[in-house]
Amino acid sequence: MENLSPQTRFTGRQLVYFPVCTSTNTVAQELVNKNEATEGCVILTSCQTAGRGQRGNTWEAASGQNLTLSVIYKPIFLAASEQFYLNIAVSLGVSDFLKRHLPAGVLLKWPNDLYFIEKKLGGILIENSISGNNLQSSIIGIGLNVNQVFFDNPNAVSLKLITGHTYELQPLVETLLECLEKRYLDLHKRSFYTLQQEYWHNLLGFGEYRLFEVQGKTVQGKIVGTDEYGRLQVETGGGLQVFDLKEIRFLFE
């Protein structure tokens, strides 16, 4: 895994590999702080001991069996108010990668989890630094379940559990970085509308009435999109409502 050769312009050209580390996002932040990371720098580990997820959760990953990495981008072309489009582009890039290996069923669970049907396959944690009105740097942490078959979380799944295949990790990393860079370059072209529409149509629950938990109550609603700030738009009996990250939960979780 120390000799990656992705077919990219810059993503993965600078590679920092650790057999074991606490969190690739933490290491990435240290490199950014020291000004030692080029655009597209990748921090990769075989064993992450303190991986972090959304909502302050930890990320469960068995050593040497999955993909755990962080990518550093410098999207200074994005205003701070446009940062959710980076989330959209990255989510679609990881989804593109998964769709190369899996049958129909790859979905994005808002805001940036990767699902196969209704089982969690991976997650993304993006940490942005802002300078003035624009993004300065973005650390994109990605965890994907590949060869692991036993999980504490009954809602988790892996590529191996779905397909029955055991995967060599290095080629997967290279393909993932290629897919990420392609979507990042689309973002650089400011293809916001196209990216947003594709993101919506890949969302778990898009256009379907489902049950959610809102403020401790069960609510039936239909996801109809996201607003300019990345908040989830849900059509309920009370009309169109908008939710931030910790304000709504799918009831199957």
Side-chain angles (χ1 to χ4, degrees), residues 58-188:
T58 57
W59 179 254
E60 175 192 358
S63 177
Q65 297 182 33
N66 306 299
L67 297 187
T68 46
L69 60 109
S70 295
V71 181
I72 299 170
Y73 281 138
K74 301 182 180 181
I76 57 175
F77 54 89
L78 285 179
S81 60
E82 297 170 332
Q83 60 187 286
F84 192 70
Y85 289 106
L86 174 66
N87 185 98
I88 287 174
V90 169
S91 298
L92 287 172
V94 181
S95 174
D96 292 342
F97 161 75
L98 291 172
K99 287 177 180 178
R100 293 190 182 193
H101 300 280
L102 293 174
V106 175
L107 293 166
L108 300 170
K109 180 176 159 291
W110 175 86
N112 49 15
D113 282 335
L114 287 307
Y115 269 58
F116 181 75
I117 315 296
E118 296 197 356
K119 295 278 190 177
K120 188 170 182 178
L121 191 52
I124 300 165
L125 178 64
I126 300 177
E127 298 175 305
N128 294 319
S129 297
I130 296 169
S131 178
N133 295 322
N134 288 66
L135 295 187
Q136 189 69 19
S137 65
S138 297
I139 296 170
I140 299 157
I142 300 170
L144 293 174
N145 301 329
V146 179
N147 291 320
Q148 188 169 340
V149 293
F150 298 107
F151 295 91
D152 292 335
N153 180 359
N155 198 44
V157 74
S158 66
L159 290 177
K160 184 172 182 175
L161 284 173
I162 297 166
T163 66
H165 301 309
T166 299
Y167 294 84
E168 187 179 346
L169 295 181
Q170 182 165 322
L172 293 188
V173 175
E174 293 172 347
T175 306
L176 173 61
L177 297 181
E178 292 162 8
C179 291
L180 278 176
E181 184 173 282
K182 181 180 183 301
R183 292 294 189 168
Y184 183 68
L185 292 173
D186 288 341
L187 184 68
H188 202 293

Side-chain angles (χ1 to χ4, degrees), residues 8-21:
T8 57
R9 295 189 200 173
F10 48 85
T11 306
R13 296 299 175 176
Q14 180 187 4
L15 173 68
V16 181
Y17 174 74
F18 294 93
V20 180
C21 81

